[in-house]
Amino acid sequence: DVKVTQSSRYLVKRTGEKVFLECVQDMDHENMFWYRQDPGLGLRLIYFSYDVKMKEKGDIPEGYSVSREKKERFSLILESASTNQTSMYLCASSLVSQETQYFGPGTRLLVL
Amino acid sequence: KQEVTQIPAALSVPEGENLVLNCSFTDSAIYNLQWFRQDPGKGLTSLLLIQSSQREQTSGRLNASLDKSSGRSTLYIAASQPGDSATYLCAVGRTYKYIFGTGTRLKVLA
């Protein structure tokens, strides 16, 4: 079974802090994704990566950056956290494009 | 710009009922459509993936259909059970990106 893990289930941070969210998949998937999920807005794509060191902006990349130094690990970075980044963050991976996406359990981030 | 809509937003049914969840999308140029289940506070679990060349997919009590020309997909759940209570999301895929609907929150009453 594919397993996607996220480093934290819950995080509380202060405004202005640098925040790292990590995601690891164990099935040698090419593609990895970061989404945020907000009530009434659904899931929105922040960034995705189709190979090591490759990244593409999604629909809402402002205020975020990503890093993929190894195939199995995809990190989301909030350079200076703000209250409007309080959200549920979901990581996903897929073997190749147009294939099933597998999701991690999510990280609920609260920025105070 | 692709938009994905799921109606109704919430649904309550008695146990044992067959039910249909709807998903509509505005741009028929899609590669595939995927249905997910999400339990409260959890990540998404993939239920069914329909490629654009397919009309339907089945898994156990679940059947998903796809009509690209009309921009619609349905998820049929047979003989619903309380354990089916969750939010169901559809997502349409094109290249690397998926666009998600906001989901239908299903409650199956025992």
Side-chain angles (χ1 to χ4, degrees):
Chain A
D1 271 358
V2 175
K3 191 155 187 183
V4 180
T5 57
Q6 295 184 227
S7 50
S8 306
R9 292 301 308 275
Y10 301 96
L11 271 181
V12 181
K13 297 291 181 181
R14 296 283 178 189
T15 303
E17 279 192 75
K18 191 168 186 175
V19 182
F20 293 87
L21 303 182
E22 293 217 312
C23 175
V24 177
Q25 50 93 3
D26 66 357
M27 285 301 291
D28 204 34
H29 283 179
E30 300 289 331
N31 301 330
M32 296 188 75
F33 307 82
W34 276 106
Y35 296 90
R36 63 177 282 177
Q37 185 177 30
D38 300 288
L41 297 176
L43 272 82
R44 293 177 291 166
L45 181 65
I46 305 172
Y47 268 97
F48 66 96
S49 168
Y50 51 90
D51 202 351
V52 175
K53 297 191 187 293
M54 305 302 289
K55 60 188 179 185
E56 290 284 341
K57 293 179 180 179
D59 298 317
I60 51 163
E62 297 79 19
Y64 303 94
S65 62
V66 291
S67 172
R68 193 168 181 200
E69 296 296 319
K70 293 186 178 181
K71 193 174 188 180
E72 67 271 17
R73 189 179 298 268
F74 192 34
S75 301
L76 180 70
I77 304 154
L78 288 66
E79 295 290 342
S80 177
S82 63
T83 55
N84 63 12
Q85 293 178 309
T86 290
S87 186
M88 173 72 128
Y89 289 88
L90 292 161
C91 173
S93 71
S94 66
L95 180 60
V96 292
S97 61
Q98 300 138 49
E99 289 297 330
T100 300
Q101 289 201 344
Y102 296 89
F103 280 79
T107 296
R108 192 167 293 280
L109 173 66
L110 174 62
V111 182
L112 299 174
Chain B
K1 182 186 172 188
Q2 179 73 272
E3 292 183 6
V4 181
T5 304
Q6 292 185 249
I7 295 173
L11 181 64
S12 286
V13 299
E15 183 177 5
E17 207 166 277
N18 302 325
L19 60 101
V20 175
L21 306 181
N22 297 296
C23 173
S24 60
F25 47 95
T26 54
D27 184 351
S28 62
I30 65 171
Y31 285 177
N32 57 36
L33 185 144
Q34 195 164 2
W35 281 94
F36 294 89
R37 168 189 173 131
Q38 186 176 30
D39 293 290
K42 303 283 179 64
L44 279 67
T45 301
S46 177
L47 298 173
L48 291 163
L49 173 71
I50 312 176
Q51 300 292 353
S52 61
S53 57
Q54 298 174 316
R55 296 301 299 266
E56 64 178 323
Q57 281 285 340
T58 298
S59 175
R61 295 182 293 109
L62 305 179
N63 176 275
S65 67
L66 175 63
D67 184 345
K68 276 192 359 175
S69 61
S70 66
R72 291 176 191 270
S73 176
T74 61
L75 178 67
Y76 174 82
I77 302 176
S80 59
Q81 303 170 357
D84 294 330
S85 298
T87 297
Y88 291 80
L89 297 103
C90 68
V92 296
R94 182 175 173 84
T95 62
Y96 297 101
K97 297 175 66 171
Y98 278 89
I99 305 298
F100 284 79
T102 52
T104 294
R105 191 170 61 253
L106 172 67
K107 188 164 186 178
V108 181
L109 305 169

